[in-house]
Amino acid sequence: MPIFAAPDGTELTYHLKGEGEPLVVLPGGPMQASRYLGDLGGLAAHRQLVLLDLRGTGDSAVPVDPATYRCDRLVDDVEALRVRLGLEHMDVLAHSAGGSLAMLYAARYPERVRRLVLVTANPWALGTAAPPEDRLAAALLRKDEPWFPAAFPAFEAWLSGAPDYDPAIAPFFYGRWDRAAQEHHARGDEEFNEEAEAVYGSEGAYDPPATHAALSRLPAPVLVLAGELDGAPRPELARRTADVFPHAELAVQPGAAHYPWLDDPEWFVRHVSAFLDGSGTPALPSAE
């Protein structure tokens, strides 16, 4: 279990899965331990996954200063990881809330990013977030699911600002509410740092105009991958994110929600690995 020191001395941990060229992976949550990512549906068979536990999560240490949980402050940790790995530049994959961290890193260190994959990424760093209307529209796509009648009232309450998260809404985040999805969700409670989550996007974390301007000049190719059934982001919002970058493509995974590597591992791995290898978009069905 490799350990390295962040610039402020906090000891951070990353986990290696697979062999081959490194792919640095930034988890979402925000501030969820990287173990929920597994091997990204088998992507570790193509690349060595370098799964970072952000400070205060997983096997990484809790920092002295809680203010360093803020997303822009975490950019220094990602850069320290690159230095630790001895990489001149690196491929980066980020999921969900980790997408904003990846965008801030790419904006600050554009020369260090070779390829960037944003998986169901919430574009908070660009000043955009999925509105309740998007989440509601995506939820209604599931109206024929057997669990929908029991889950939808709890989902509406959550969108209206219910103070507590109701596990009944979990099926909306998965393309299939099967045993694998249920087990994945059940492990989530043990993986979050709630204090850090509250700080991640706090005041000062984002400067959308500056980030937008910087990313509009990013030389690296970017893949923005959305799930057809995901509400945050919906494919339309993911397209607007892709439009920020000069060299980006959008892929919409059919039948997938917020964790596409669980919903259809083969589709996910084939598409992401082809992009990372520079071999072009594979001939797979898309929901675009």
Side-chain angles (χ1 to χ4, degrees):
M1 191 170 63
I3 297 173
F4 68 102
D8 66 351
T10 304
E11 290 193 340
L12 304 178
T13 298
Y14 59 94
H15 303 269
L16 300 176
K17 293 190 177 182
E19 297 180 354
E21 199 165 356
L23 172 64
V24 171
V25 181
L26 305 179
M31 304 307 288
Q32 186 172 3
S34 66
R35 68 177 66 95
Y36 82 95
L37 295 159
D39 67 353
L40 286 173
L43 189 59
H46 301 263
R47 302 293 291 266
Q48 182 180 60
L49 306 184
V50 182
L51 299 138
L52 177 62
D53 279 343
L54 299 176
R55 54 179 55 216
T57 72
D59 295 308
S60 289
V62 172
V64 173
D65 181 4
T68 60
Y69 289 135
R70 209 173 68 179
C71 188
D72 60 320
R73 303 282 294 273
L74 297 174
V75 170
D76 292 334
D77 293 352
V78 179
E79 174 63 2
L81 174 59
R82 181 196 65 80
V83 173
R84 170 69 171 81
L85 296 171
L87 299 174
E88 185 67 21
H89 48 253
M90 60 187 182
D91 294 335
V92 179
L93 181 149
H95 174 242
S96 191
S100 284
L101 174 56
M103 289 184 222
L104 293 186
Y105 179 82
R108 194 182 303 176
Y109 297 102
E111 73 284 0
R112 300 303 188 188
V113 178
R114 184 169 60 182
R115 286 181 178 268
L116 175 61
V117 182
L118 300 173
V119 178
T120 58
N122 295 313
W124 301 328
L126 297 172
T128 52
E133 294 78 11
D134 275 14
R135 292 182 181 270
L136 183 62
L140 289 172
L141 295 174
R142 319 298 296 277
K143 60 184 174 57
D144 294 328
E145 300 277 0
W147 46 262
F148 182 88
F152 189 64
F155 192 79
E156 287 186 300
W158 180 65
L159 288 180
S160 300
D164 296 320
Y165 172 82
D166 188 337
I169 73 173
F172 290 107
F173 297 93
Y174 296 88
R176 296 191 313 272
W177 188 235
D178 55 13
R179 171 181 253 177
Q182 292 167 29
E183 291 176 351
H184 184 265
H185 177 258
R187 293 191 297 269
D189 288 343
E190 305 169 0
E191 297 168 346
F192 278 95
N193 180 331
E194 293 184 0
E195 178 189 12
E197 180 183 3
V199 177
Y200 187 85
S202 58
E203 184 176 359
Y206 307 124
D207 183 348
T211 302
H212 192 290
L215 295 181
S216 71
R217 302 187 296 269
L218 185 72
V222 179
L223 172 64
V224 179
L225 193 152
E228 179 187 18
L229 304 176
D230 195 12
R234 294 205 76 194
E236 293 84 354
L237 179 55
R239 177 172 294 283
R240 295 206 301 273
T241 299
D243 287 344
V244 170
F245 300 92
H247 310 290
E249 61 181 271
L250 171 68
V252 180
Q253 184 170 325
H258 203 59
Y259 304 97
W261 65 90
L262 291 175
D263 297 326
D264 187 341
E266 182 179 358
W267 194 103
F268 178 84
V269 170
R270 286 182 61 191
H271 211 102
V272 172
S273 60
F275 170 79
L276 291 171
D277 292 343
S279 56
T281 303
L284 293 173
S286 173
E288 285 190 80

